[in-house]
Every structure is written in C-alpha cells, then in structure tokens.
Amino acid sequence: CKPSEFFMVGDWVKAKHDLTSTQGVRISKGTLGKLKELRSSDGHWLVKWNSAGNIHTDQSNIKKCAQSEFISVGDIVKATYQLKWQSGVTVEKGSLGKLKQMMEDDTWLVEWYDNVGEKQTTEDGFSKCEPSEYFVKDDVMALVHDL
C-alpha cells in the first residue's frame, strides 16, 4: 500500500471541507490536525485539530496529508532568506538546519548546521526540504563522473 492509502494513529490529516463538530466548534477546510484514535465501531475518529483541540469526526471528513504539507520536529529545513539575530549571528539563505522544538510563542528552535547552533526562528524564515535536497547517514549514492 502507498502511505496515502491508509491511516495510522499519529498521521497528519486535514479537513476535506468546512466542518462543525457536535459541540458547535467550526473547523475550516484545510485545517491540519493529528490523528489520535481510530474507532471502527462508529466510524468516528479522534483528531487533535491545530486550531480546535480534540474532536471526533467521521473518516470521510479528513484526508491524509502529504509529507510536504506539514512540518514537525526532526524535519530538515533551509533558510528562506538571510537570518540575523541581535547577537550578530547570521544564517545565509539556503543554509540547512533541523527542527528541534516548537516554542510556546509559535517560533521554532532550529539547529542550524553552519556552526551557528540552535536559534529560535519564525516559520517564514525556513521551508521544509525535500529528501533530495540533503544527505543523511546510510544514503546510497552513485558517482556522477570518474574520480
């Protein structure tokens, strides 16, 4: 099966259309949430919506997100522009880092790989990398020319 063909607890999902819960909470189309519980007995699953908390919804109301549609701790990111902090530290546009933690003020703690270390960064300061944009341990590679 392809990852998009099944659901698992922990999956990121989004609302297929505007929803109103039985408690009267409105969830807009495209709102992201994390699947917390699968219940086949009544077809209602528990989703922790980013904007509304834990709400049960029918499976037909949600769609599994593609990896590119959300960010989470552990993702590899790149700076979308030159970042500067009051301390004088600078990260150049395109520099890579790893998301370490989401902070209470909705910024992210990013471990920048340019010998900068961990710095709080707003979400507009980085974008999620595609796996083809970086190397990780045990990646298989092929030579593109003779050495």
Side-chain angles (χ1 to χ4, degrees):
C1 292
K2 295 178 184 176
S4 61
E5 295 177 324
F6 62 92
F7 289 95
M8 292 176 50
V9 170
D11 282 345
W12 282 95
V13 297
K14 63 182 173 183
K16 285 184 180 178
H17 46 81
D18 290 344
L19 306 170
T20 303
S21 73
T22 55
Q23 299 91 351
V25 177
R26 183 172 161 75
I27 299 161
S28 300
K29 177 181 178 179
T31 298
L32 296 180
K34 199 166 202 175
L35 195 54
K36 303 299 275 185
E37 178 184 292
L38 307 171
R39 291 193 327 198
S40 58
S41 59
D42 64 1
H44 285 87
W45 294 357
L46 182 63
V47 176
K48 182 177 182 183
W49 297 102
N50 286 354
S51 62
N54 291 331
I55 296 177
H56 285 96
T57 188
D58 190 85
Q59 176 189 351
S60 64
N61 292 327
I62 60 174
K63 178 180 179 183
K64 189 171 180 176
C65 292
Q67 287 288 325
S68 61
E69 294 181 287
F70 63 91
I71 56 174
S72 59
V73 170
D75 284 346
I76 304 299
V77 297
K78 62 183 170 188
T80 53
Y81 54 84
Q82 186 184 59
L83 304 170
K84 294 181 183 182
W85 287 268
Q86 289 180 345
S87 64
V89 172
T90 302
V91 169
E92 296 300 322
K93 179 180 179 178
S95 295
L96 297 180
K98 185 176 186 176
L99 296 181
K100 300 298 279 186
Q101 178 182 353
M102 185 173 192
M103 309 303 284
E104 288 184 21
D105 62 359
D106 289 335
T107 62
W108 285 85
L109 187 62
V110 180
E111 178 185 357
W112 293 103
Y113 295 150
D114 289 354
N115 294 322
V116 171
E118 295 180 350
K119 292 289 182 191
Q120 273 187 253
T121 309
T122 57
E123 200 169 314
D124 70 331
F126 60 84
S127 61
K128 185 173 181 174
C129 290
E130 294 292 329
S132 61
E133 295 180 280
Y134 60 91
F135 299 114
V136 294
K137 184 180 179 217
D138 296 328
D139 273 352
V140 177
M141 299 177 196
L143 288 175
V144 293
H145 57 78
D146 291 336
L147 297 175

